Amino acid sequence: MDEHKIVTRRLAMLIAVALAVFALYVLRLIFLQLVHGDEFAARATSTTEYRFNVTAARGDIVDSAGRRIATSTTCYNVELSKLLIGDNDLNETIRKAVEILQANGESWNDGLLISYADGAGNYDFTGDPASQSDQNAIAAVKEALGLQQYATANDVMDRLIEKYELESYDPTWQRILGGIHYQMEQEAFSNVNNFTLAENVSDKTVATVKEHSLTLPGVEIAETSVRSYTDGTILPHVLGRVGKITAEMWRVTDENGQVTYPLRDKGYAMNDVIGISGLESAYEDQLRGQDGVETITRDSDGVIIDTSITTEPEPGKTVMLTVNSEFQKAVDDALARNVQQIATTYNVDASAGAVVVIDVKTGGILACSNYPSYDQNLYSTQYSAYSADPGLPLYNRALQGLYTPGSTYKPSVAVAALISGLIDRNSTVYCNGVYNYFSDYHPRCTRHGHSGNIDVVTAIKWSCNIFFYDVGRRLTSDVYDDYAYRLGLGTPTGVEVSESTGRLTTKEDSNYTASLEVQAAIGQGNTVVTPVQLATYAATIANKGVRYRTHFVKALLDTNTGEVLEEVEPEIVEIIEDDVGAFDIVEEGMVGAAQTVAGLANYPYTIACKTGTPQRSEKTPSGSYYTNSTIIAYGPVEDPQIAVGIVVEYGGGGSRTGELVADIFNAYFFERSNGMTPVQEGQLLE
């Protein structure tokens, strides 16, 4: 009986255990299939998405009539995709891709400043010893490879060969592959960041890469865009350039050693193109556009199952300028022609100059010319020649050149003296050719066209030094400098790109003397200004003391539709109150001055001008000082439309630029009469 009970209990216990185990299995199945069934099913068929930027087309830069000046054209890059290369040998993939590039005469992305091995198998650093950027790059290579700064080029190559397992390759391929690998690492090559191996490759290279697509997985052709210029000679100094992001731009270390990545934080990739100077830089945010996104989906076995554009790229905005490109070309031609003519006619060394033309009513720049200049489309291939040219074609004289204004400064002194009440229309100064106020300093006047008691109108017309010596001395530089600043000299004009500020002669100058102050009153002394300041100054006189911010940009447009998104309104930055008619009096003198200048005396419209012949620091073989030609002008006086500032280096007398002023006005009125390919305002031309 007891034995039967024991068996029964054991059997019951076994059944209970079996039921418990079965229940556990049932619960586990419920947990796996019902509660988390979807999750585990997804894991069984898991996929991974990789997102890549699709570069947006850069916005165009167009002239005031909509003609394209800078645009983006389609080109093709060879890219390496780590995701698509997968388990294939990376070194062999790179080698085969480079062989295609070599066969077609292409270059590849390799910034390693190390030579190829010589006959003895030794390497050298190729950086310019005088270039801080090159020396920083070499130091960075050593640091990145864990080498001391005294390491040689051989040490660097040994480390690269070891790091990237290049021992089986010959020295030439070791250098090629090592350089490319290092560049890839600098540009953060990864599953989500492709590496651009070669840029803007030929159609033949595109076709060859595509032919080998099955045997070269991960070597891709990517469509992108490159900056191009319809006419590379139009405004090259102002447009500026675009370029690849440099290491210094990408990784910024402040004075405290704090490292930041400002461009990465703004959404740039390390190998993106960015505006690095001029308007391309100033309007980078507007021109850049919004990159799109390409999504590549890979399953759990590493197979690519889908590729699609999940976000379409949006092109950047179009920047419309105040400059009319055909008027600009006419001014460019006139400047070059007149500089050469001055050199030939007067047997002087005139070989360079600058012109700025401003819309009096808005402050918009209509033309900005430098001579000599260069072609944007040839910049990369001809950079060495441009840099070595003694004429300095890369130098932006119009905005950055600093020149003594000479007698073009006199109208500002006249305005200051009239408004301050020191003189009036009838006040005179006696001119006998020598200023005898100082006992030990006797500056002179040519007395050209005048002598005796000289009033302000006559003094401006005939550029009487004695009048302005005396008025300037009594007025003091504190007063006439203040008006010169307000008129636009020695102060930023407001243009969107880099400009020199210049300076006026002040009592704080280390070499200040009373005699220096009277020299400053005729535009000499320590005073230096830019051609764009001269044009701004002329426009302010034309506007009777109202100075507008000088600017190049007229509007921002939608690149797809041409719709105006934002218009740049004229901005008044200074108003000089004139209760005594000072500007009318000065204008009378400047109109008289124009009547003494060839090319302007009988011009169909009334032009106001003031010439200058400022001394340079260099002396001629005979011991006299070389001089520049300067002039400011505006007109028509009855309704001023344009103002002009001009400098011709070594040109001599300022009146020699009169024909150039006439040519500029001729081009302006010719353009306004629809003589220069008229187009509908705002229309984008193909």
Side-chain angles (χ1 to χ4, degrees), residues 200-433:
N200 198 16
V201 297
S202 66
D203 292 342
K204 183 177 180 181
T205 298
V206 171
T208 307
V209 170
K210 289 185 175 180
E211 286 172 9
H212 290 78
S213 60
L214 294 179
T215 57
L216 280 178
V219 181
E220 302 287 306
I221 294 296
E223 181 178 310
T224 184
S225 60
V226 66
R227 210 53 160 167
S228 63
Y229 304 90
T230 306
D231 181 342
T233 66
I234 295 175
L235 294 174
H237 304 84
V238 174
L239 295 181
R241 296 185 299 110
V242 298
K244 296 289 286 292
I245 293 173
T246 63
E248 292 82 1
M249 296 163 65
W250 184 255
R251 185 179 188 269
V252 177
T253 304
D254 65 19
E255 56 188 12
N256 299 318
Q258 185 73 27
V259 176
T260 58
Y261 297 86
L263 292 178
R264 183 188 65 185
D265 295 342
K266 291 183 68 174
Y268 287 89
M270 190 179 292
N271 59 355
D272 278 350
V273 168
I274 192 171
I276 57 177
S277 64
L279 290 171
E280 294 279 17
S281 175
Y283 279 80
E284 169 65 19
D285 290 345
Q286 293 82 1
L287 289 165
R288 177 188 172 201
Q290 185 66 45
D291 287 350
V293 176
E294 179 184 33
T295 301
I296 296 178
T297 306
R298 187 171 70 174
D299 67 17
S300 58
D301 296 323
V303 178
I304 304 298
I305 60 174
D306 184 57
T307 300
S308 61
I309 301 294
T310 49
T311 303
E312 291 289 341
E314 297 179 9
K317 297 180 177 66
T318 291
V319 174
M320 174 176 273
L321 306 184
T322 55
V323 174
N324 180 295
S325 58
E326 295 207 13
F327 178 60
Q328 173 70 44
K329 287 190 286 186
V331 174
D332 288 342
D333 292 343
L335 174 60
R337 183 173 62 252
N338 278 273
V339 169
Q340 295 163 11
Q341 181 179 323
I342 289 171
T344 302
T345 303
Y346 299 99
N347 192 29
V348 293
D349 295 328
S351 60
V355 173
V356 177
V357 185
I358 290 179
D359 185 332
V360 169
K361 301 180 188 301
T362 67
I365 293 179
L366 304 178
C368 181
S369 296
N370 290 283
Y371 177 78
S373 187
Y374 68 98
D375 188 327
Q376 280 274 57
N377 289 319
L378 302 179
Y379 181 88
S380 297
T381 58
Q382 299 297 316
Y383 177 75
S384 296
Y386 285 144
S387 298
D389 189 328
L392 305 178
L394 300 178
Y395 182 40
N396 188 355
R397 291 174 165 87
L399 301 186
Q400 296 175 332
L402 291 173
Y403 302 96
T404 302
S407 294
T408 60
Y409 190 78
K410 290 174 179 175
S412 71
V413 177
V415 166
L418 288 163
I419 293 179
S420 66
L422 178 69
I423 64 172
D424 60 23
R425 173 68 175 77
N426 299 312
S427 301
T428 61
V429 172
Y430 185 77
C431 178
N432 65 355

Side-chain angles (χ1 to χ4, degrees), residues 553-586:
V553 174
K554 180 179 181 179
L556 297 176
L557 312 180
D558 184 295
T559 293
N560 292 320
T561 66
E563 175 190 357
V564 175
L565 302 176
E566 181 181 337
E567 194 161 2
V568 177
E569 298 293 337
E571 178 185 349
I572 295 174
V573 295
E574 183 65 67
I575 298 177
I576 299 175
E577 298 293 341
D578 175 15
D579 298 328
V580 297
F583 286 102
D584 291 333
I585 295 170
V586 168

Side-chain angles (χ1 to χ4, degrees), residues 441-473:
Y441 177 61
H442 305 284
R444 308 184 69 84
C445 177
T446 63
R447 285 199 297 174
H448 175 66
H450 70 282
S451 63
N453 290 318
I454 305 300
D455 62 25
V456 64
V457 172
T458 305
I460 293 172
K461 176 178 179 178
W462 294 109
S463 203
C464 177
N465 283 351
I466 303 299
F467 181 93
F468 286 100
Y469 288 147
D470 192 63
V471 170
R473 177 188 61 79

Side-chain angles (χ1 to χ4, degrees), residues 22-52:
F22 180 75
L24 287 173
Y25 275 107
V26 171
L27 290 172
R28 183 62 177 166
L29 285 173
I30 292 172
F31 176 81
L32 291 174
Q33 295 188 18
L34 298 181
V35 177
H36 292 284
D38 292 341
E39 178 183 342
F40 289 109
R43 288 185 185 179
T45 58
S46 65
T47 60
T48 305
E49 290 186 344
Y50 299 87
R51 293 177 175 82
F52 299 87

Side-chain angles (χ1 to χ4, degrees), residues 5-17:
K5 288 182 179 179
I6 292 171
V7 171
T8 302
R9 287 174 182 162
R10 288 179 177 175
L11 183 60
M13 187 178 296
L14 287 173
I15 293 171
V17 170

